[in-house]
Every structure is written in C-alpha cells, then in structure tokens.
Amino acid sequence: MKIAVLGAGPAGLYFAITMKLRDAGHDITVYERNRPDDTFGWGVVLSDETMNNFAGNDPVSEAMIRDSFAYWDDVKVVRGDDSMTSGGHGFAGIGRMKLLVLLQQRARDLGVDLRFQADLDGAALENLRATHDLVVAADGLNSRTRQTHADRFGARIDMRHNHFVWLGTRQKFDDAFTFIFEKTEHGWIWAHAYQFDADTATFIVECGPETFDAFGFANLSQADSMALCERIFARHLGGHKLMSNANHIRGSAWIRFPRVTCENWHFDNVVLLGDASATAHFSIGSGTKLGMESAIALADELNAGKPLDQALADYQTARQLQVLRVTSAARNSTEWFEEVERYLDLDLTQFTYALLTRSQRIGHENLRLRDPEWLAQAEAWFQAKAGSQSTRRPMFAPFQLRDMRLTNRVVVSPMAQYKAQGGHPTDWHFVHYAERAKGGAGLVFTEMLCVSPEGRITPGCPCIGPDQEAAWRRLTDFVHAETDAKICAQIGHAGRKGSTRIAWEGIDKPLADGNWPLMSASALPYLPESQTPKAMDRADMDAVKAQFVEAVKTADRAGFDMLEMHAAHGYLLASFISPVTNRRSDDYGGSLENRLRYPLEVFAAMRAAWPDAKPMTVRISAHDWVDGGVTPADAVQVAHAFHDAGADAINVSSGQTDKAEQPVYGRMFQAPFSDRIRNDLGVPTLVAGNIYEPDHVNSILMAGRADLVLLARPHLADPYWTLHAAVELGDTEQAWPAPYEGGRRQANTLAERARAMA
C-alpha cells in the first residue's frame, strides 16, 4: 500500500513502524509540520502493561524505549504540610522528545520516509487522498484533517473547565508520581509532578477557573506565569526553576483540555488515529498509550487481506470500545479534579483513596494488590471513624442514624414485587423480605408502600395503613427476632404513574379495565395513552398529607426501624419538585422554592408523627435526564431543604420522571450525584445504580461518595449476597444465621482452598 501519515507524533510513527514490520513493501511517508526536534510536552507515562503490549509488537523499539525509562512505584499526595504515600503502582516515564527520537530512528531503519516542516494545506491533503491508497490522520488533538472534514467524522469537542500549563523542572521527583495541593490567597492550585529522565521532571500546574481568573494568569507572560508558580510551589521546588518549551505560543501558555470524541473514525481512504479521533485527559496519562495501541490494531486490520473499507470499519469496531473505556475513565478523572475542592477537607487518608480511585479503573481490591499495608491502614481508619476496632472492609463497618445502629453498610434496595392482593402484602412479601434480612445486609427496604389504594402504582402494589398493620408487624417481628438487620418502610404515592399494569404485563401501560382516578402536581399524563391526572387542589393536598401521616403512624406501630419518604422517580411528591411535571402557576409552582413547598409540608407532617429516636430519609431524583428538568446542581438545593427540615440522610437516585429522558448509564452511575450532595452539604447519603460487586461498595464508601450502598438486582439474584460477598473476600468474621453455620464453614473452607490453588 502507498500510505501517507499526517503527524509524526508517537501514534503516527508507531503506525508506520508497525506497518513496515507487517510488510516491508508498504510505501509509507510521514508528514510533520514541525521540525524533528520540536516537542511541546515534557514527559510521557507508560505502564508495565502497555510496555508488554509493545514488546509483543516490536521488541526492538520496546527495548529502545525501556532503556530510557525513569521508573517509580509510588504515588505521593502532598496537601499543605501533610503527605501520604501509596505504593505498587508500577509506572515509567520517558521524555516525549526522547520517545520521538527513538521512534524516528526506528522508522528510518525500517525504510519509512520522514518529511518534517511539511505544513500541508487543504489542497495538499486532497492531493494525498487522490495519490495514495490510504491517508492516516495522526495529526493530534487539533487535527486539521478532522476539522476539514468535521461533517464526515461527527466530531464533538468539549472544552473542560480547569486551566493547566505543562512545565518542566530540574527538581527531582524520582521517588513517586507526586500530586501537590497548595491553598493560596485565591483558592487551591495543584501540580502533577513526575520524573522522566535523570535530570528532568514534568510539572503540570492546574487550577479551577475562579483561581485562574483571580491570579490573572491569562494576562501574564510565560515568564511571569512561571515565576508566580515558582512562588506558589517554592518549598517543593528546592530552589529549582520551572521551564517551558512552549515558546512558540504568544502570551500565556495556559490552556483548557479539549475532550475530543468522533462518531466516525474514517471515510473513503482517510482514517483518524490517536488524539485526532479521541483524547484522554493528562491526569490518567493514557493518550500516548491509546494512540500507539490503536496503531497496532489499525496495522493488523490493514494487513488482514480485507478490502480497505472493511479493514477500516473493523478497526473502528475493534478499538472504539477500548478507547471509550479509557476516555470514560479519563473523563471521571477530569471531573474529579474539576471538583477537587469538594474533597480537600476530607481526612488525608480518604482524600488519597479518592484520588487513587478517581477514574474508577482502580478498585478497592486492586489497591490491596498494589499496597496491602497502606490499604489495611486506610480500612482501619474507616472502621475507627465508624466507632469500630475492626479491620474489616468498609462495607462491614457499622453505621448509625439517630438510635438505629446498622451492623454494616449494605442495603437491600426497594424493589417492586407486584404480588400484593387488594393492597395487602402476602406470604410472598414475608418470604422475600425475610430471606434478604437473613442474607446479611445491614438494612432492608420495603418496596414503596402506598398511602392509599388510589396511590398504588399497580393492583399488585401493597399499601400501609391500619388494615395492613398486622401483616407488616409479622414481618418486622421476624426480622428483629431472627436477624441482625434493620428494616425501613418506604412510603409514597404513585401520582400520575398509578393505575398501571404489573411489570411483566406491560410496565407503565394503563390497566385494560378497573382504572382508578389519578392526581398529580399538574394535569400531565405520563404516556400519551395514560390517564390525565387531576391537578391537585388544596383539599387534595390536605387529604393526601393526612394519608401520609396515617401511614407513618401505622409504620411505627408495625415496628419499622426507619422511614423513607419517596420523592423521586416522577411519583406524586416528585411531580411537584420537577419543572418537567410541575406547570402550576400558584404558590406550589414556578421557582424551586415553590415547587418544594408541598413535599416539605408532607415531610414535616410525617417527621412530626414519627418517633424522634427513629431516623427518616428522603429519596430524591438528582437528575431528570431531560432538558429543563432537575439537574445535579438543583439536587443539592433539594437535599439541603430536606436536610434542614429534619431528614437524617438523602437517598440519591435519578430519572424515571419523564419518558423523554436520556440517562447515561454505567457502573455506579449515580454515585457522582450522591458524592456531590454528601460532600458539598456534609449530609449522609445512600446511593444505588448499577452497583453489583463488593468492590463497588467498598470503593464508594472508602472514597466518601456515600454512607450506605443499595443493591437491587444483585439481591434479586441472591438473597444472601452479603454473606457470599464476605466469603468471596475472605472475611470469616461475618455472622450467619445459627442454623446455617455448617454452610458458612463449608463456604469459607472451599473459598480458602480455591484461593490457595489459584
């Protein structure tokens, strides 16, 4: 093939090398607009895993690179006068210029034609397309090719909030990848520092937009900007200067990071590679890795004997998911640093843990593999903070709300069962909840218990009132007598989402017959075919509030340990809070303060009827995932209002307000909403949302993103999830029901044997 490669960065050069290794007959020319010794970064970070991939592809260049590495194993966090170090992270750094020189040398040795100072305009690019079999655009995050053909690639660029400047220093940071956080007169500013050769370290300075503006960095020359950074970080630089290699940039060298994504990576005979197709934030150091590994994948597809269009399509299919995983982790890391001031008052142990796990690529047990001693100390700190002398995982730490003390932080999430008869719980409910209470979770939620027959979602949903008191009392008596679990009644009213079929007969669909009248904040049907609810008037509000109070009194007499008011997911109370469902023009519509008025009124009445010694929480939707709906910023205000009104904790959920929603799912996808509320307000939170592994639970808790973790589907699949999680983790302290002691011993013995064999 006759191939033109645009850009002589690591991705472009490594692609050319790899293609020549696959077939020396390829005619490859690399065009680079800069000189061969120009570079605008300092160090490049590569992991052991990445280098092993390179060794399998080209042992020669891998050895050349490895011989030039600076190695470190530790991550050090410095915050003011305090510091903490965690080991076992296995990184290596190399100067970007050194890496380019080595790759240039290897490419020339293999017969690649390298042409520098070749600044190609649009006409030249079109000529290359016409005269070559393939044009590989490896021309970086500011790709001219991508910009010229933006409509073909479906490119999107998200300019991130923080500002940063890429500097170097002769100060040594060869003992650890070091994060330095300094509090200044204008706010926090921090540095990412790491060694990449015997004499030089990268020193990236970053701060939020408010601090950037307050210092006036945008108006400073590079020299003045560096002098100011030297003053801020003087005690860490040991008298050494900061250096810039961005002299080609006029004025300030500070920039914001552009997050680049492309729907398509190729068209005709043009394909994007590396940063041209997707960028990964510098805080996880994976941009070079992604580009070079994508180069291997592209070369493999092009040498597989396929037609060009098929090879390019298969390349995108093969790599796009892998790149998305890394860039999603990079997005998590980016956002963590954008909100870092939220965490800087945390204990240094928890702050360090949050920093290490910020991308969600490193989990709790992975940290144990890296540095078991540090993690054991962190776990002991967490347990001590919870009032325990244990050294068990965070999920097994106790937790207290008012007089209710939980044995652990695992919670069985509310899950509709649709098995009630005429609003009454049945033996199904008794067995379902009793089994999960036996399963080791510290707290078990009921599904939403409706305050009236007209407040039910479906005919299969249970109510709570005097008629149901005995059935619920039977359950709570069993839970208290036979298990260590506590049990919470979640109380709510379906509002406009009521009078529908049970889930497996058509979720959210209206009943074929036997419908009951609905009410909501406004007269808006949930689905086009749904009933139109009545917009509640004051008499309706008073009547429903009285039903909530009666439900609370019943829950107390029935022996529930905790109460939750359901004000999420588009149900009645949530319909007042969201502007999507509240179109009122009276005192209960319009501003958020007005929209909260009735839910807060109901909460106050419920709290007054509930014993002071027992806790009460509120479930809210922190994001409607709909334009014009509740946002995470709004959710902080909502949570603040309920906490001020007496809520002991906020159960943070999202969505299900309107069918137009476009949620973004992923592992632990609601944890950032909980994190924001918990750490902005100092309010205890509970969180659910695609949490299914013990590692997820421990990571969320240890990083301070929530205080209690709810699992739904895992508890449907396994009522004994907590007991089995303890076995999986090698935790032999977990108590089982006495009749199951033989099962506990066998499970732990088999697990220990499996670990020994592994």
Side-chain angles (χ1 to χ4, degrees), residues 388-701:
S388 169
Q389 300 303 309
S390 172
T391 57
R392 301 172 72 194
R393 269 80 168 179
M395 63 187 287
F396 300 117
F399 185 70
Q400 186 151 347
L401 286 174
R402 299 207 182 204
D403 286 357
M404 184 186 75
R405 185 169 176 83
L406 304 178
T407 59
N408 62 55
R409 309 293 184 102
V410 180
V411 182
V412 177
S413 193
M415 296 172 283
Q417 297 299 295
Y418 307 110
K419 297 292 284 186
Q421 298 290 330
H424 294 281
T426 64
D427 284 348
W428 178 276
H429 296 88
F430 181 85
V431 173
H432 172 76
Y433 294 117
E435 282 297 282
R436 279 141 190 88
K438 286 160 58 183
L443 179 65
V444 176
F445 269 84
T446 68
E447 61 199 279
M448 185 174 81
L449 307 183
C450 306
V451 298
S452 68
E454 296 76 27
R456 291 175 296 165
I457 310 167
T458 76
C461 293
C463 294
I464 184 165
D467 292 345
Q468 293 83 32
E469 180 181 328
W472 292 122
R473 183 81 211 194
R474 177 184 175 222
L475 172 64
T476 62
D477 283 348
F478 176 87
V479 170
H480 295 147
E482 301 292 350
T483 80
D484 292 329
K486 302 299 182 183
I487 186 162
C488 174
Q490 185 187 71
I491 296 178
H493 187 298
R496 70 173 187 152
K497 296 176 72 174
S499 193
T500 61
R501 304 173 199 176
I502 60 177
W504 47 87
E505 293 179 357
I507 192 167
D508 294 328
K509 299 295 184 183
L511 294 171
D513 54 62
N515 287 282
W516 54 82
L518 304 180
M519 61 177 68
S520 188
S522 298
L524 301 171
Y526 185 58
L527 300 175
E529 63 268 33
S530 300
Q531 287 186 64
T532 298
K534 176 190 178 185
M536 295 177 71
D537 58 26
R538 185 64 249 183
D540 296 324
M541 293 182 195
D542 290 340
V544 170
K545 180 172 67 172
Q547 291 169 350
F548 271 95
V549 170
E550 185 60 40
V552 169
K553 293 177 179 178
T554 301
D556 182 34
R557 294 193 303 269
F560 283 100
D561 302 293
M562 175 173 141
L563 205 66
E564 178 164 281
M565 186 180 89
H566 200 326
H569 300 168
Y571 294 127
L572 182 73
L573 297 177
S575 74
F576 279 85
I577 298 172
S578 173
V580 173
T581 49
N582 186 334
R583 307 289 176 81
R584 302 175 72 99
S585 58
D586 61 5
D587 289 345
Y588 301 95
S591 68
L592 179 57
E593 181 182 7
N594 281 359
R595 299 196 311 271
L596 277 167
R597 191 185 302 272
Y598 182 61
L600 286 170
E601 184 181 319
V602 173
F603 177 87
M606 294 173 70
R607 182 66 261 187
W610 187 240
D612 286 343
K614 294 184 179 183
M616 182 173 168
T617 62
V618 180
R619 174 171 277 203
I620 68 169
S621 286
H623 200 323
D624 282 339
W625 304 107
V626 176
D627 287 343
V630 169
T631 67
D634 295 331
V636 174
Q637 298 181 58
V638 172
H640 194 289
F642 280 117
H643 185 62
D644 282 352
D648 297 291
I650 305 297
N651 191 342
V652 184
S653 191
S654 70
Q656 303 180 51
T657 299
D658 191 272
K659 283 296 185 181
E661 68 180 5
Q662 293 184 308
V664 179
Y665 292 119
R667 290 179 304 133
M668 304 176 278
F669 74 102
Q670 292 178 155
F673 309 143
S674 168
D675 184 335
R676 183 171 187 168
I677 290 169
R678 183 184 188 275
N679 290 299
D680 279 1
L681 300 179
V683 173
T685 60
L686 306 84
V687 72
N690 206 20
I691 299 166
Y692 50 86
E693 294 179 355
D695 214 63
H696 299 162
V697 179
N698 287 318
S699 296
I700 288 169
L701 294 169

Side-chain angles (χ1 to χ4, degrees), residues 43-87:
V44 172
V45 178
L46 298 170
S47 68
D48 290 338
E49 178 188 10
T50 299
M51 291 307 299
N52 290 337
N53 292 339
F54 294 166
N57 182 62
D58 179 23
V60 174
S61 62
E62 189 272 343
M64 295 165 67
I65 295 169
R66 193 177 287 277
D67 288 345
S68 300
F69 269 155
Y71 289 94
W72 66 91
D73 198 52
D74 293 345
V75 171
K76 184 177 183 180
V77 178
V78 182
R79 187 182 64 186
D81 295 329
D82 300 321
S83 66
M84 181 170 284
T85 300
S86 165

Side-chain angles (χ1 to χ4, degrees), residues 215-520:
F215 272 116
F217 279 119
N219 301 316
L220 297 180
S221 67
Q222 290 189 46
D224 289 342
S225 181
M226 286 190 293
L228 179 51
C229 290
E230 287 167 3
R231 177 179 68 77
I232 293 170
F233 295 101
R235 62 199 182 103
H236 307 285
L237 291 172
H240 292 275
K241 296 290 187 181
L242 291 172
M243 304 178 291
S244 173
N245 56 14
N247 295 325
H248 61 297
I249 299 176
R250 293 182 180 179
S252 172
W254 289 76
I255 58 175
R256 291 160 58 204
F257 184 81
R259 183 172 185 262
V260 175
T261 56
C262 291
E263 183 178 348
N264 304 308
W265 290 6
H266 63 91
F267 78 94
D268 296 343
N269 65 335
V270 179
V271 61
L272 301 178
L273 179 65
D275 284 349
S277 59
T279 56
H281 192 258
F282 63 85
S283 62
I284 69 166
S286 293
T288 300
K289 160 197 164 69
L290 281 181
M292 294 175 70
E293 290 180 344
S294 290
I296 297 172
L298 179 57
D300 285 343
E301 295 295 342
L302 292 170
N303 288 277
K306 304 174 184 178
L308 179 62
D309 58 347
Q310 186 64 52
L312 297 182
D314 289 349
Y315 157 66
Q316 178 169 335
T317 299
R319 281 299 293 169
Q320 198 165 41
L321 180 58
Q322 295 300 320
V323 169
L324 178 62
R325 286 172 176 164
V326 176
T327 56
S328 294
R331 181 194 62 216
N332 294 337
S333 180
T334 306
E335 292 175 353
W336 191 86
F337 278 106
E338 288 174 345
E339 304 291 347
V340 72
E341 295 196 33
R342 175 181 298 150
Y343 312 112
L344 281 161
D345 289 332
L346 294 175
D347 183 276
L348 187 59
T349 297
Q350 191 161 54
F351 178 75
T352 300
Y353 184 98
L355 185 150
L356 293 172
T357 59
R358 67 192 182 279
S359 72
Q360 297 184 14
R361 287 197 304 176
I362 298 175
H364 195 77
E365 296 307 316
N366 186 270
L367 277 179
R368 193 181 310 281
L369 292 174
R370 293 167 184 247
D371 192 340
E373 182 179 351
W374 182 85
L375 187 62
Q377 292 172 353
E379 289 175 332
W381 168 85
F382 189 91
Q383 289 280 355
K385 187 181 176 189
S388 169
Q389 300 303 309
S390 172
T391 57
R392 301 172 72 194
R393 269 80 168 179
M395 63 187 287
F396 300 117
F399 185 70
Q400 186 151 347
L401 286 174
R402 299 207 182 204
D403 286 357
M404 184 186 75
R405 185 169 176 83
L406 304 178
T407 59
N408 62 55
R409 309 293 184 102
V410 180
V411 182
V412 177
S413 193
M415 296 172 283
Q417 297 299 295
Y418 307 110
K419 297 292 284 186
Q421 298 290 330
H424 294 281
T426 64
D427 284 348
W428 178 276
H429 296 88
F430 181 85
V431 173
H432 172 76
Y433 294 117
E435 282 297 282
R436 279 141 190 88
K438 286 160 58 183
L443 179 65
V444 176
F445 269 84
T446 68
E447 61 199 279
M448 185 174 81
L449 307 183
C450 306
V451 298
S452 68
E454 296 76 27
R456 291 175 296 165
I457 310 167
T458 76
C461 293
C463 294
I464 184 165
D467 292 345
Q468 293 83 32
E469 180 181 328
W472 292 122
R473 183 81 211 194
R474 177 184 175 222
L475 172 64
T476 62
D477 283 348
F478 176 87
V479 170
H480 295 147
E482 301 292 350
T483 80
D484 292 329
K486 302 299 182 183
I487 186 162
C488 174
Q490 185 187 71
I491 296 178
H493 187 298
R496 70 173 187 152
K497 296 176 72 174
S499 193
T500 61
R501 304 173 199 176
I502 60 177
W504 47 87
E505 293 179 357
I507 192 167
D508 294 328
K509 299 295 184 183
L511 294 171
D513 54 62
N515 287 282
W516 54 82
L518 304 180
M519 61 177 68
S520 188

